[in-house]
């Protein structure tokens, strides 16, 4: 029996997930969609030849008896509203990041899930499902490089559009590192600082690019993350863990090495969707399988809150230049 999914939001990521669940993954069927542009939602149903009802809004979709689980892929500021509605309806919900646009919104979701008494929320942080990060974590957890002391990371995009602002380097870009590095180290952040090197001539308008974010964890691990969203040459994700007795690096995506025209070269990806396409498949299949088994796993509402609290501190650090403490409350045993 296929899990019957309702999808709220048929923009680019929504369409990707609808196509993924309909054509690539096993055990699910999209039976309902909605979008603020109802005509677009109808076009997606027609283009993908879905047997799906187009609902007037997200609340109507969540209430539908045909919908067993919900995917929230709408505009970020709407996420909190729809996740809370899904929890109130007792329906499992996969929410693309951000879980909510404020830490307080994430906290309300955590409180609602705690009151419900069972996990219903998975947040769309896909990096823990990436094969490279999985391999890196296996090395760290094995103890082969000893206790981690430092991490050197980079998140580089070839370019961004004119609407990309300085704070989005945190809320849209670094947010992935804020989640995956907690998972990689099984540790929480206690302070952040943001430094601004010389601004790239490729940065538009008032965008300050690149940035360097310095993080400290509860166990004393020091992390530096370079965010450079106009690097020009490609989409490049780097992570190096320095341990007491060795160093482990995130593997490069597999590419054919060429020997041609007196050059030895490997291609560099330009699109983030290509870099993590397999991780998206694995994370949604995991959600489908878990719901079918009567549970929800993966990045939790608590993980969404932890990332949001750290992001808020990073934005404060952007503005002040100071070292800013990260105040995350104790994790409830519910999320242990």
């Amino acid at each position: 029996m296929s899990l019957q999914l309702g999808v709220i939001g048929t923009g680019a990521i929504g369409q990707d997930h609808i196509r993924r669940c309909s054509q690539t993954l096993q055990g699910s069927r999209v039976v309902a969609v909605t979008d603020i542009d109802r005509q677009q939602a109808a076009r997606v149903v027609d283009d993908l030849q879905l047997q799906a009802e187009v609902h007037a809004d997200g609340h109507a979709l969540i209430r539908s008896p045909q919908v067993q689980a919900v995917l929230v892929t709408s505009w970020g500021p709407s996420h909190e509203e729809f996740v809370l509605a899904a929890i109130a309806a007792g329906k499992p919900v996969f929410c693309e990041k951000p879980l909510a646009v404020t830490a307080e919104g994430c906290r309300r979701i955590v409180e609602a899930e705690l009151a419900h008494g069972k996990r219903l929320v998975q947040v769309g942080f896909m990096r823990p499902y990436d094969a490279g990060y999985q391999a890196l974590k296996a090395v760290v957890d094995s103890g082969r490089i000893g206790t981690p002391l430092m991490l050197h990371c980079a998140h580089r995009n070839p370019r961004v559009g004119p609407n990309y602002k300085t704070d989005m380097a945190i809320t849209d870009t670094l947010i992935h590192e804020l989640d995956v590095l907690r998972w990689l180290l099984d540790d929480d952040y206690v302070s952040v600082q943001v430094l601004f090197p010389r601004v790239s001539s490729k940065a538009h308008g008032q965008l300050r690019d690149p940035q360097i974010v310095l993080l400290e964890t509860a166990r004393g691990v020091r992390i530096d993350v370079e965010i450079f969203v106009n690097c020009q040459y490609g989409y490049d994700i780097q992570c190096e863990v320095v341990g007491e007795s060795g160093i482990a690096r995130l593997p490069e995506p597999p590419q054919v090495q060429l020997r041609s025209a007196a050059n030895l070269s490997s291609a560099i990806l330009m699109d983030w969707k290509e870099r993590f396409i397999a991780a998206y498949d694995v994370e949604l299949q995991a959600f489908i399988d878990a719901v079918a088994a009567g549970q929800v796993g993966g990045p939790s509402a608590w993980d969404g809150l932890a990332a949001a609290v750290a992001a808020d501190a990073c934005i404060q650090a952007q503005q002040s230049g100071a070292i800013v403490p990260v105040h995350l409350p104790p994790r409830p045993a519910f999320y242990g």
Side-chain angles (χ1 to χ4, degrees):
M1 186 72 176
S2 293
L3 179 67
Q4 296 181 173
L5 299 173
V7 181
I8 302 174
T10 57
I13 192 67
Q15 291 181 42
D16 281 348
H17 284 343
I18 291 169
R19 188 178 299 108
R20 185 171 280 115
C21 293
S22 302
Q23 300 176 2
T24 303
L25 308 182
Q26 302 295 315
S28 70
R29 184 164 64 94
V30 176
V31 299
V33 300
T34 189
D35 192 272
I36 193 170
D37 182 346
R38 193 169 181 178
Q39 290 185 335
Q40 175 175 291
R43 284 194 298 271
V44 171
V45 169
D46 290 340
D47 290 347
L48 296 178
Q49 299 180 326
L50 302 175
Q51 298 295 315
E53 182 177 357
V54 179
H55 286 268
D57 57 47
H59 293 284
L61 180 146
I62 291 167
R63 288 193 302 268
S64 170
Q66 301 302 314
V67 173
Q68 297 172 320
V70 180
L71 305 187
V72 177
T73 57
S74 51
W75 185 45
S78 70
H79 288 189
E80 178 187 350
E81 174 186 352
F82 294 134
V83 171
L84 287 173
I87 293 171
K91 294 187 178 182
V93 54
F94 176 95
C95 181
E96 271 300 338
K97 62 92 178 170
L99 177 61
V101 294
T102 65
E104 188 57 39
C106 293
R107 191 172 285 108
R108 284 190 286 269
I109 291 171
V110 165
E111 290 171 354
E113 194 175 41
L114 286 169
H116 179 77
K118 180 181 179 181
R119 267 202 64 183
L120 291 175
V121 180
Q122 179 175 330
V123 184
F125 289 124
M126 76 295 193
R127 289 201 190 176
Y129 296 95
D130 174 68
Y133 276 107
Q134 290 275 350
L136 182 60
K137 183 168 178 58
V139 170
V140 172
D141 288 351
S142 73
R144 290 171 59 194
I145 62 169
T147 301
L149 306 174
M150 297 175 285
L151 271 66
H152 306 301
C153 308
H155 189 146
R156 304 185 184 117
N157 292 65
R159 61 192 59 84
V160 291
N163 294 326
Y164 190 99
K165 307 301 182 185
T166 299
D167 62 340
M168 293 171 67
I170 305 300
T171 58
D172 285 35
T173 302
L174 180 73
I175 197 72
H176 287 289
E177 275 78 16
L178 291 178
D179 174 71
V180 77
L181 299 182
R182 283 183 64 251
W183 167 82
L184 183 64
L185 295 172
D186 191 22
D187 204 353
D188 283 314
Y189 309 118
V190 295
S191 72
V192 302
Q193 184 179 16
V194 180
L195 305 177
F196 292 97
R198 177 177 175 176
V199 175
S200 168
S201 65
K202 306 298 183 181
H204 61 75
Q206 300 302 309
L207 174 62
R208 301 180 70 181
D209 182 50
Q211 304 178 35
I212 300 171
V213 179
L214 306 177
L215 299 149
E216 180 184 8
T217 76
R219 296 193 182 111
V221 179
R222 292 287 186 167
I223 302 168
D224 57 85
V225 185
E226 171 204 319
I227 309 165
F228 189 10
V229 295
N230 290 281
C231 77
Q232 305 298 302
Y233 71 86
Y235 180 70
D236 191 8
I237 302 299
Q238 301 286 332
C239 182
E240 178 181 86
V241 183
V242 180
E244 289 182 320
S245 56
I247 294 173
R249 289 181 178 173
L250 181 71
E252 295 285 345
Q255 298 290 321
V256 173
Q257 189 180 79
L258 298 179
R259 296 172 185 265
S260 175
N263 282 288
L264 178 65
S265 63
S266 298
I268 296 175
L269 297 174
M270 295 293 287
D271 188 338
W272 58 270
K273 286 187 289 186
E274 291 182 31
R275 171 63 179 84
F276 288 110
I277 187 170
Y280 280 114
D281 289 348
V282 175
E283 73 164 345
L284 268 176
Q285 187 67 67
F287 174 75
I288 292 165
D289 293 345
V291 173
Q295 58 190 5
V296 173
S300 67
W302 181 259
D303 294 319
L305 171 62
V309 169
D312 284 355
C314 288
I315 291 173
Q316 184 180 343
Q318 280 183 328
Q319 297 166 351
S320 69
I323 298 173
V324 176
V326 178
H327 297 297
L328 184 66
R331 180 169 57 186
F334 179 87
Y335 293 106

